[in-house]
Amino acid sequence: MSETTDIIEELLEATGLDKNYRTDSIALLEKGESRYVRDLKLNFTSTLTSEHLSAKECGLLGLSIAVNNNNKPLTAFYTKFSEEQGATAAEIAEAVGCASLLASNNVFYRFRHFTQKEKYTQIPARIRMQLMMKPVTGKEFFELMSLAVSAVNGCEMCVNAHEDSLIKLGTTEERIFDAVRIASLVTATGKIVY
């Protein structure tokens, strides 16, 4: 067995998958004995810790991004990890709901931003957003998840709005940066483990 295969098996076991699980992407990395698998494993592992976020927050952020990206293995992993870190069923449901709500908002507000037409800013959005009003995870953390999902979905207007809200709420730039870092690494892992 090669070192690459060993690292792939460690990554798979870390995500709760059988060490023999293979996607087409994993098989290609393994066949080419890619050095990237070491980075992938270390990057994935780094989504679970932060100097600026609690382990529970890391898990809920990972869950929201995994749901946003429709990644079943990572959704299962981050759900379990979040539960192990003390997340309640309501907090887990909110992370899932955040991914869905922000998916619609990101499409809608990207459209408004892309067209740059005043008329579209005058027409009511008619998108229900009660989830944002009194989040069980707290306003600041819900904004942080919203920013992370918006960054993954590429909505510039949404990223700027959520980042501005977070700064006004007193969130540090380091905390914001870590949330987006985690979102990027969960997305990267999901390109290989799916």
Side-chain angles (χ1 to χ4, degrees):
M1 192 174 341
S2 72
E3 180 183 2
T4 301
T5 299
D6 289 341
I7 296 167
I8 287 170
E9 289 179 359
E10 290 170 12
L11 171 65
L12 292 170
E13 288 179 324
T15 60
L17 295 168
D18 184 89
K19 68 180 186 174
N20 296 313
Y21 179 88
R22 294 294 184 273
T23 62
D24 292 342
S25 298
I26 292 171
L28 291 169
L29 289 170
E30 188 172 26
K31 182 178 179 182
E33 297 188 21
S34 176
R35 293 175 298 154
Y36 176 65
V37 296
R38 181 176 301 283
D39 292 341
L40 181 65
K41 179 186 164 232
L42 293 173
N43 287 338
F44 168 74
T45 303
S46 80
T47 68
L48 308 178
T49 60
S50 164
E51 293 178 25
H52 309 284
L53 300 161
S54 70
K56 179 171 88 170
E57 290 172 328
C58 290
L60 290 170
L61 274 163
L63 173 59
S64 195
I65 300 304
V67 169
N68 179 72
N69 296 345
N70 200 28
N71 187 298
K72 290 181 182 180
L74 293 181
T75 296
F77 171 79
Y78 285 108
T79 299
K80 183 177 183 227
F81 181 80
S82 296
E83 290 169 342
E84 290 169 352
Q85 304 311 312
T88 65
E91 290 170 327
I92 288 168
E94 191 164 271
V96 171
C98 180
S100 177
L101 175 60
L102 269 292
S104 68
N105 285 359
N106 294 161
V107 170
F108 182 78
Y109 289 104
R110 252 192 340 254
F111 165 77
R112 277 188 172 175
H113 180 74
F114 288 160
T115 60
Q116 299 288 311
K117 287 189 174 181
E118 183 65 29
K119 178 69 175 175
Y120 295 130
T121 63
Q122 296 169 357
I123 301 170
R126 296 185 59 209
I127 298 173
R128 298 261 313 154
M129 297 185 239
Q130 289 301 111
L131 187 62
M132 288 181 151
M133 297 303 110
K134 291 183 181 175
V136 296
T137 57
K139 181 70 173 158
E140 190 268 353
F141 186 70
F142 193 88
E143 284 287 333
L144 205 56
M145 284 192 296
S146 298
L147 171 68
V149 172
S150 296
V152 169
N153 291 341
C155 180
E156 178 182 354
M157 183 179 183
C158 302
V159 166
N160 288 330
H162 292 297
E163 196 265 352
D164 183 60
S165 292
L166 284 161
I167 295 298
K168 288 177 180 169
L169 288 168
T171 305
T172 64
E173 290 170 330
E174 291 80 9
R175 187 167 161 80
I176 293 166
F177 187 87
D178 251 12
V180 175
R181 177 189 64 81
I182 289 169
S184 72
L185 296 176
V186 172
T187 299
T189 304
K191 301 295 182 187
I192 307 300
V193 178
Y194 48 86

